[in-house]
Amino acid sequence: MVTLASENGSGQKLWCGLWRWLKGSWTDRTVLLISLAGILYAWQWIHAEAGAGPAMVEIYHDKVLLARYPFPEPGKSIHFDAEGELGISGILIDSEGVHFSSSPCRTQYCVLNGRHSKGGEVIACVPNRILIAIKGSHINGSHYDAIVE
Amino acid sequence: MSRSIPRPSLPALEQKATWLSLLLLAVSLHVFEAALPSLGPWFKPGLANIATLLALVLLGPSAAAMLAVWRVIVGSFLIGTLLTPTFIISLAGGVAAAIAMLAAWRLLPGITLIGVSLIGALAHMTAQFVTVESLFIHQQALYYLLPPLLLLSVVTGWINGGLAAYIVSQLEESD
């Protein structure tokens, strides 16, 4: 019981210490609130801007729109080679989403970024200057959100 | 006829030594972050910013600004990204964060290192996106990525600010 009490005491001390160093001042909390409000408003606005209509994949190199595809039906896929600054980025679109399948860049962050399928999502390969943007929100006619279809 | 070299005062030497120690800390954290497995595209926890915050409190605004710039230059040299797009993006983020933090520190009454760090993290992320959009990608759709990353910046900025405040208090206690 003594050990338990002392463990509880040290745990409480740890939480008090953490709270002391992370609570911030009223000014900090006001800055936090304003920042969160601004970010959530921007997120909502972007969702509304990019999320209307059927989902389309747009592939850009710099300012040039290279291709624009709807998501294909299940079982089918589209492969597109986008020529950028360093070479060719392979892009694969299927009914599940779109992703970089290959890239000439050193870091391969764009390939590791994986598959995306929601309206307003973006994958960019900065070294090769290729950008994939998903506009719209409906994939193959259905529109799911967290609660209902 | 021998000319004696003027010796700097002890406080000036101490200040230079502190600045160099903070630069070493910042560069180490910069390299450490580069070696970390990616926590997601475009995202790093911004630990190196803790050194800028410490410089702001211990040495003043101009030393903090210089530290932010030199940290990116030396860190990029060590990880092999000097003068690459990564370097330009890092430098833009570092300079913007330093300017925003200095302005917040001077202008917002009652702000602590936590609020300053939060503002720095937001400025860092936003400046990186503006740089990428204006110099490399030229597509405004890129900003679709910004809000979720800003949310993560809020979290990391707050925690880094808390860590910096803790370190400053420990340094003050030991003096």
Side-chain angles (χ1 to χ4, degrees):
Chain A
M1 288 300 282
V2 174
T3 315
L4 192 63
S6 96
E7 275 174 5
N8 280 344
S10 63
Q12 203 173 6
K13 203 175 165 186
L14 177 71
W15 282 114
C16 285
L18 275 177
W19 170 245
R20 187 179 157 210
W21 294 113
L22 291 175
K23 69 178 179 181
S25 65
W26 280 106
T27 310
D28 298 334
R29 281 173 242 161
T30 310
V31 170
L32 173 69
L33 273 180
I34 293 169
S35 307
L36 287 177
I39 293 166
L40 292 176
Y41 176 78
W43 204 341
Q44 188 69 28
W45 185 79
I46 284 170
H47 230 264
E49 185 82 357
M56 298 290 286
V57 176
E58 294 184 348
I59 302 163
Y60 295 92
H61 171 232
D62 250 358
K63 290 177 182 170
V64 183
L65 177 64
L66 299 176
R68 191 164 189 265
Y69 293 108
F71 283 95
E73 291 170 5
K76 293 182 179 173
S77 65
I78 299 164
H79 185 269
F80 183 81
D81 285 334
E83 187 153 6
E85 299 295 306
L86 303 176
I88 289 173
S89 291
I91 295 162
L92 196 67
I93 311 167
D94 57 29
S95 60
E96 300 290 311
V98 56
H99 67 280
F100 278 100
S101 55
S102 64
S103 172
C105 67
R106 191 172 62 91
T107 58
Q108 299 285 302
Y109 283 146
C110 51
V111 177
L112 296 170
N113 203 330
R115 185 180 269 128
H116 291 258
S117 61
K118 290 180 190 143
E121 288 189 329
V122 165
I123 322 171
C125 179
V126 177
N128 207 24
R129 302 193 187 181
I130 300 290
L131 180 123
I132 305 170
I134 305 172
K135 307 253 173 98
S137 58
H138 302 239
I139 292 186
N140 296 324
S142 68
H143 180 207
Y144 293 86
D145 65 20
I147 306 163
V148 292
E149 184 178 347
Chain B
M1 291 299 288
S2 67
R3 287 172 59 191
S4 63
I5 300 167
R7 298 181 68 176
S9 64
L10 199 59
L13 272 178
E14 194 182 354
Q15 206 163 33
K16 277 182 186 165
T18 309
W19 189 84
L20 277 172
S21 312
L22 288 173
L23 179 65
L24 283 176
L25 173 70
V27 169
S28 310
L29 290 170
H30 187 97
V31 174
F32 172 70
E33 281 189 307
L36 276 181
S38 176
L39 301 172
W42 306 82
F43 185 73
K44 292 198 183 301
L47 294 171
N49 205 37
I50 293 174
T52 312
L53 289 166
L54 295 178
L56 185 63
V57 175
L58 300 175
L59 302 171
S62 56
M66 289 299 288
L67 189 94
V69 173
W70 278 103
R71 183 255 296 175
V72 176
I73 295 172
V74 179
S76 301
F77 176 74
L78 290 177
I79 59 176
T81 58
L82 192 63
L83 304 180
T84 64
T86 309
F87 167 74
I88 295 166
I89 296 164
S90 285
L91 190 62
V95 170
I99 292 170
M101 291 194 301
L102 302 189
W105 186 246
R106 286 210 164 155
L107 302 176
L108 291 179
I111 199 161
T112 71
L113 283 181
I114 291 178
V116 172
S117 171
L118 169 60
I119 288 172
L122 293 176
H124 191 275
M125 187 60 78
T126 308
Q128 286 194 327
F129 269 77
V130 171
T131 308
V132 171
E133 198 274 329
S134 54
L135 294 182
F136 302 113
I137 297 280
H138 304 299
Q139 277 301 322
Q140 291 195 341
L142 191 71
Y143 291 113
Y144 291 178
L145 278 175
L146 191 54
L149 290 172
L150 284 177
L151 269 187
L152 286 172
S153 297
V154 166
V155 176
T156 54
W158 194 273
I159 293 171
N160 289 343
L163 281 172
Y166 173 75
I167 294 168
V168 168
S169 77
Q170 294 301 304
L171 288 173
E172 281 170 351
E173 269 179 31
S174 67
D175 277 349

